[in-house]
Amino acid sequence: MSDSVDDRLDALARRAAADLRRALPDAAPPATLLDRLRAAGTAAQLPSSRPARRLALAAALAATFVAGVGIGMWVARKGAGSPRAAATAAADRPQLVRFVFAAPRARRVSLVGEFNGWNARATPMHRSADGVLWAASLALPPGRHLYAFVVDDSTWLPDPDAPLAPDSWFGVRNSVMVVSDGTGL
Amino acid sequence: MTDAALLARAAAGDPASYAALVSQHYSACLRVARGILRDPADAEDAVQDTFLRGLKSLARRDEQVPFRAWLFRILINRCRSVAVERSRRVRRFVQDEAALESAPSREPPGFGNAEAIMEALQRIDPPLREAFVLKYVEELEYTEMAVMTGVGVSALKMRVKRACEALRPHLEGIYRER
């Protein structure tokens, strides 16, 4: 039995298909899809070991760093979620950086960035006793770091009081934090 | 930029590249999903799930398989699942004729033939519908369709033929009237 379509029927099918294509014009992915992709954490799903290695090194160094040298911190103004760094470390040493974000209505907040592969499960933030602020601390090497906060596994937000990165990611810009090399911000 | 180049950049940690892949393939995925499922909301759900699943399994993708074929395979599986879920939903039928007449049309004005064609597609078996949409609407080669559907080329050709034959009376009616 032949598996080919006769010419007339083929022409009819092509005409129908053309009408369908005209009726279903090109569409852009909706913002909701991009939001969900952000929340899923793109880079965490991708094969890149560089952030993991950097974080492991930073964590190992942080133990000796915290013990003797000093601590660099981002301190938030209460109610505003604004971090300020006060780094006083020797040059090239990782800084312990505290991220603080105000989200009193959130159920979960995660810190994401290049330092943890943009993985929303890697760095959950801890809620303050008054329920207003969420905080997490990381040891980060000197340099420029992109980061953002993921609220309730679905909403990707930059830090409202930090500089924004010039590039956008799925239409949303991340925050930029520069960790001092020990000479001050 | 080609899919291969975007994939390489996405795999190297460039998040914008996956977004670009989504943008490049979104329309085609939505067309296929609409052709298979008809309902716009079901189709959008299937497409969005496809891209999310694609993101999660990107690292495990067999690089020998073209990206579009790999993506459409996920999409078709999602459409099949959505169709099964939909068939289990309880449907409420409106008995009020006045409400039916005043209810807004699901499709925009001028949808015309396309609505009738999609209605006709819903009347044929899902495997035949899939084959017709991939072959005629998306104009794919049988070898690529085989990767997407998991069905052999010979079987796909037969499905396309049977789909066309099942659609024939509907299509002849649609185009005879216009």
Side-chain angles (χ1 to χ4, degrees):
Chain A
M1 180 181 180
S2 168
D3 59 10
S4 55
V5 181
D6 70 67
D7 291 346
R8 184 172 173 278
L9 184 52
D10 179 73
L12 202 57
R14 289 181 189 280
R15 185 178 177 185
D19 279 346
L20 274 183
R21 284 193 296 273
R22 268 193 296 276
L24 298 171
D26 288 348
T32 50
L33 171 57
L34 301 182
D35 288 344
R36 289 176 72 186
L37 288 171
R38 277 199 302 275
T42 303
Q45 311 299 334
L46 301 174
S48 173
S49 60
R50 282 187 304 163
R53 284 203 297 270
R54 189 189 305 158
L55 187 61
L57 175 61
L61 291 173
T64 51
F65 170 79
V66 169
V69 180
I71 295 174
M73 294 178 65
W74 287 94
V75 178
R77 290 194 303 274
K78 203 165 197 179
S82 169
R84 286 196 300 266
T88 56
D92 298 329
R93 292 202 180 187
Q95 305 277 328
L96 189 63
V97 181
R98 185 171 176 78
F99 295 84
V100 183
F101 184 67
R105 294 194 189 87
R107 293 188 304 276
R108 277 182 303 279
V109 179
S110 297
L111 173 66
V112 293
E114 298 168 315
F115 39 76
N116 65 7
W118 301 98
N119 185 348
R121 290 186 296 275
T123 313
M125 300 181 79
H126 302 285
R127 196 169 210 155
S128 62
D130 62 4
V132 174
L133 300 177
W134 298 77
S137 297
L138 286 179
L140 296 176
R144 182 176 178 269
H145 300 275
L146 299 181
Y147 69 98
F149 302 105
V150 178
V151 178
D152 292 338
D153 302 319
S154 61
T155 304
W156 185 291
L157 296 171
D159 189 316
D161 291 308
L164 288 174
D167 306 320
S168 67
W169 183 1
F170 297 120
V172 173
R173 292 167 72 182
N174 295 307
S175 299
V176 180
M177 178 259 295
V178 177
V179 177
S180 167
D181 59 359
T183 61
L185 290 177
Chain B
M1 192 177 291
T2 63
D3 280 356
L6 287 170
L7 278 167
R9 292 178 65 170
D14 178 17
S17 294
Y18 192 74
L21 285 168
V22 172
S23 295
Q24 281 191 2
H25 294 278
Y26 186 82
S27 290
C29 286
L30 192 60
R31 250 192 329 266
V32 169
R34 284 294 305 274
I36 295 174
L37 298 170
R38 185 180 182 185
D39 182 80
D42 286 346
E44 286 173 12
D45 284 349
V47 170
Q48 293 204 17
D49 282 350
T50 294
F51 283 113
L52 282 168
R53 286 168 186 261
L55 172 62
K56 290 176 181 175
S57 56
L58 194 62
R60 299 192 303 273
R61 186 183 70 88
D62 179 355
E63 293 181 4
Q64 301 301 314
V65 177
F67 178 75
R68 181 172 69 170
W70 174 83
L71 184 69
F72 274 35
R73 183 162 203 172
I74 299 173
L75 174 66
I76 289 167
N77 284 333
R78 286 308 306 149
C79 287
R80 291 171 179 170
S81 297
V82 169
V84 170
E85 292 161 12
R86 182 172 65 186
S87 68
R88 293 179 184 149
R89 280 183 226 149
V90 174
R91 294 188 180 275
R92 296 176 60 199
F93 293 92
V94 177
Q95 300 298 326
D96 184 338
E97 293 299 325
L100 278 171
E101 286 183 9
S102 63
S105 167
R106 192 163 41 176
E107 306 296 355
F111 207 64
N113 288 350
E115 185 173 4
I117 294 164
M118 286 211 277
E119 177 65 31
L121 279 170
Q122 290 300 306
R123 293 173 185 271
I124 66 175
D125 290 342
L128 306 187
R129 193 186 314 143
E130 278 178 15
F132 180 89
V133 169
L134 293 176
K135 185 60 187 168
Y136 281 98
V137 180
E138 291 307 303
E139 299 179 310
L140 300 177
E141 296 296 330
Y142 280 110
T143 48
E144 194 172 12
M145 288 168 58
V147 174
M148 294 172 180
T149 61
V151 177
V153 169
S154 296
L156 282 169
K157 287 182 178 178
M158 191 57 67
R159 289 185 183 187
V160 168
K161 181 180 179 184
R162 288 171 56 200
C164 290
E165 289 171 349
L167 288 169
R168 184 199 301 263
H170 303 288
L171 298 184
E172 287 178 342
I174 290 168
Y175 292 109
R176 183 167 49 237
E177 291 166 3
R178 289 164 174 76

